[in-house]
Every structure is written in structure tokens, then in C-alpha cells.
Amino acid sequence: MNEHPVWSYVHRAQADLHALSNAVWATPETCYAETRSTAAHVAELKRQGFAVTENVAGIPTAVMGEAGEGGPVIAFLGEYDALAGLSQVADLAERKPMVQGANGHGCGHNLLGSAAMLAAIALRDWLHDTGTPGRVRYYGCPAEEGGAGKTFMVRDGAFADVDIAISWHPHSIPAVMLGSSLANARVDFSFTGRASHAAASPHLGRSALDAMELMNVGVNYLREHMPDSARIHYAIIDGGGISPNVVQGQAKVRYVVRDKTAPEMLKLLARVRKVAQGAALMTETEVQDEVLAAVSNLIPNDPLCAAMQRNLDLLGPPPFDDLDRAYAARFQATMTEEDVATAYESVGMRPRADLALPDFVVPEGTPVPPLAGSTDVADVSWVVPTVQLWGATYAIGTPFHSWQMVAQGKSPLALKGMTHAAAVMAATGVDVIRDADLRKRAWDDLAARIGLKGYTCPLPSDAEPPIAAMAGS
């Protein structure tokens, strides 16, 4: 295997960032409540000698660290938010929460932020030792899971002077992330009625709970008449209380509306709003909605993807050993054939039954399906040429947002995969620093994809980061 000049810097710094990842795994915090995780990232940035800016875009759990002088600005995007209800004992291949109902890192963001910082440190050290002009930034971005932290940061201009953005996401197969993602909006619909005694004076009541239920029924009928690419999900936030002998005077339901592009998503959201208004009309209640978060569709970048692919091919798969494979096999045994097939299909490959961990990287030119989910990295990709990697950190077939992902999150194989991802990102950072033509081609590609109209933020102009609403949900 050939060596990229930055990889020695990655390996030199990896132990500190493995420790950061494990510390964040142990303090899982959700959307906009990542106070301890943010503090750990701030402390590590300062210890590593970065100049730190806190409270980015007015968000207490957003942070930026910068190092270097002159030259282009290369941003590494990190995350550290967890998921509710996914507490799990580490390394145990059966479902067992550490604390029933508590949070857990079921999407690997403890690894995500730490590897992005590791790449930033390695690139910073390479710039220093080679005397190369350039600035490196690590962005600690909160609330990717439903809070659109990066969308608010983009709207606030946090990436206005960035030349290239680089990120990654944990997966079970190493690949350059291609294609787009779905735009989405997360909206609370609050119904207000009139409470009354359900037996003595039901005719005086106007049930907000009835209105919410009618909205949900109406949206279910809407699903037959929307594009195949679109998705609508919901969760009841407030059913109005626990007393069935009261006509419920208030109720709240949270909807996520997704479609291929932000304009198409906003059109679908307008139809969902009409269903809510109809439900309120039928029940003589009132409805108000609040947009908590919104993200755009992801804009891929061909020149950057090609550069990242070259580094991935040069590095090869993570250096997993027999102990790692035996460990992964225990977890893969808890998964279905469909889980394993889905992992392969997500990167455009045919399933294999003989591997618990990958001994390959996805080749260039492999056709892949569009990303099924949504991400606020997308909004960064509209204003800065952006490239991302799928990093191999889990047994093949590990479902996202699962207890299996939490359980493997600080294993030796996860940390090896984290270092591997950092190495690919750091090498890509070196390439874009050294190659002005690559940067130009990346910007030309972005300009061609977004057209003359450019970026339109999917958030309402008066929307604020829903720190209280999301942190408490």
C-alpha cells in the first residue's frame, strides 16, 4: 500500500480522538441538548491548539475551531448528537439498555465528530510542517437528528468564506457518498379547542384531540396522492392529557415531510397544512403550526467525489483483524438477511453472505440509489462544494438508529474505522489545498448544479433554532 503524506499525522493523533469518541459515547445527548458533548469537543480543540469560537449562529452547542494562515479554507464537519430511547450496554450482542428509556449513539455521531476533528488536526499539522498556506476549520454541528443545526448555521453565514467542506458518516461498508438526499421539514401542529366535562356537558367542548386525529387520518389519505419519492411521518407530542372524561382542549402532533427537492417538499407541506386546517374546521377548533427545522436536498460534487475515491482506493479497506471479524459476526447474527442486503444495496453492491466486515472498498462508477434519508449537510452543500465518505465502523448489516449500532460504538473495530475515515478525509483535504484547479472545478460543478437561482433556505425567515422545543422533546 502506498502512503499519503498526511496519514502519519492521522495515526499520531488518533489515540486522543478515540478517547474523545468514547467520552461522547458515554454521555449521549439529543438535539440541541449536547452540552457535555460540546464541552468535550471544545476542550479537545483548545488542547490541540485551535482558536475556538463558541455559540456559532447563536446556538449554544455549535462550535468552530480554526488553525493555519492564508490559503484556502477547508472545513471538516462534525456532529455529536445522539438518539432518544437507544441506551445500550457496550459490546453486548443482545438488547439490554444501560438505563431504560435513556439516550444512545444509534447513528455513530460520537465517531463522526471525533474523526472529523482528527482529520482537521492531521491537516493542520501537515500544513505547519510543510509550510503550506491554508486554514483548517472543525465545525461542531449540533442537532443533525431532526434539528437542522447546519441549516441555521448556513443561514447565519457560518460557512460564507469556506472553500471546500468535507465530512463522513458511519456505515458498515467504505464508499464515497454519491447522489442526493431528501429535503425535509419538521413542523409542529398545535390544535386548540375548548375543554369541558365529557359526560355532563360534551356539547360545550370542542376537542383538540379529535382535530389531531382527523388530521392524521387526512394525511393518511393524502399519502395515496403524493409522489412516490415523498415521505410523511408523524409523532404525537401532546394528546391533551390522560383523563378520558375531559374533552381535550389542546393537542399537538409533530410531522416530518420529505421530498426530492426543497421546492417539492414545500409544496407537499402546503397540502399537509390544508389537511390540518380542514381538521380544525370540522371540529370548530383552531390550529397553528411552527416550523422547527428544515433541510434541503444534498448537492453532490463530481470533482471532489473523484478526489476522495482516489484516496479511498489508495488506502484500501480498514485494517480489521480476526478479532474484529469475530466480534462483528456476533452482532451480524442478531440481524436479518434483509438487514445485510440493505447495507449492500445502499452502496450499489450485491449482497455477500460470507463477510461480517468489509475487505473491499466500493469501486468508482458503482451505481448507487439516492439516499433515503435527510441531512443538514445538504444545506452546506448548496453554498460550499461538499464531499462525504461512508466509513466502515460496524458489522455489515447493522441498521442505522438501532441498539446494535450503539453497542458497537466504542469497539476496537469502530475506532479503526473512525481512523480510516479520518485518513481519507485528511488526504482529500491535502489534495484540495494543493490543487487550485480541483477547487475551481469543484466550484464550477456546484454552480452548474444549483443554477442561476442558487440557494434558497428552506426555513421560514423568522424561524429560530428550536433549542427549547427540541431539547425537551
Side-chain angles (χ1 to χ4, degrees), residues 171-173 336-352 369 372 396-400:
H171 196 284
S172 53
I173 297 173
T336 66
E337 290 183 5
E338 187 177 11
D339 290 330
V340 175
T342 297
Y344 281 101
E345 290 163 4
S346 70
V347 293
M349 300 194 72
R350 292 182 178 178
R352 291 176 56 179
I396 296 176
T398 301
F400 284 31

Side-chain angles (χ1 to χ4, degrees), residues 110-308:
N110 60 301
L111 298 161
L112 198 167
S114 301
M117 191 187 297
L118 176 55
I121 292 166
L123 182 56
R124 185 273 313 270
D125 291 346
W126 177 85
L127 289 171
H128 177 270
D129 287 358
T130 59
T132 304
R135 283 180 288 162
V136 181
R137 288 185 188 161
Y138 169 79
Y139 285 87
C141 308
E144 191 277 336
E145 298 287 358
K150 295 183 194 68
T151 311
F152 287 101
M153 293 167 72
V154 169
R155 194 185 68 178
D156 199 60
F159 302 95
D161 61 343
V162 171
D163 289 277
I164 301 292
I166 302 172
S167 193
W168 78 295
H169 199 285
H171 196 284
S172 53
I173 297 173
V176 176
M177 198 181 297
L178 304 172
S180 188
S181 60
L182 297 177
N184 86 32
R186 185 167 296 228
V187 185
D188 277 358
F189 291 87
S190 298
F191 291 89
T192 302
R194 185 190 308 152
S196 69
H197 194 293
S201 53
H203 58 292
L204 298 179
R206 299 294 184 266
S207 175
L209 179 58
D210 286 353
M212 183 180 69
E213 290 190 292
L214 286 167
M215 179 187 177
N216 295 342
V217 170
V219 172
N220 282 337
Y221 280 102
L222 176 62
R223 286 187 173 90
E224 184 182 354
H225 306 286
M226 66 186 198
D228 290 343
S229 59
R231 299 287 187 271
I232 303 178
H233 329 286
Y234 69 98
I236 295 171
I237 303 301
D238 178 8
I242 60 172
S243 299
N245 60 334
V246 174
V247 175
Q248 309 295 359
Q250 71 281 330
K252 180 187 292 186
V253 60
R254 181 167 296 166
Y255 268 82
V256 174
V257 178
R258 307 184 199 248
D259 211 336
K260 288 188 294 185
T261 68
E264 290 170 296
M265 176 272 291
L266 291 172
K267 288 179 182 178
L268 182 57
L269 176 58
R271 297 176 69 190
V272 172
R273 283 191 167 112
K274 289 179 180 179
V275 173
Q277 292 160 5
L281 183 64
M282 284 190 287
T283 54
E284 297 184 86
T285 60
E286 296 180 355
V287 64
Q288 293 183 327
D289 69 77
E290 177 186 7
V291 177
L292 300 177
V295 302
S296 301
N297 50 295
L298 187 70
I299 302 296
N301 193 282
D302 286 347
L304 294 181
C305 286
M308 179 171 275

Side-chain angles (χ1 to χ4, degrees), residues 173-176 178 305 309-310 312-313 347-350 360-368:
I173 297 173
V176 176
L178 304 172
C305 286
Q309 183 73 49
R310 287 192 294 273
L312 180 59
D313 290 340
V347 293
M349 300 194 72
R350 292 182 178 178
F360 60 91
V361 302
V362 176
E364 185 173 17
T366 302
V368 298

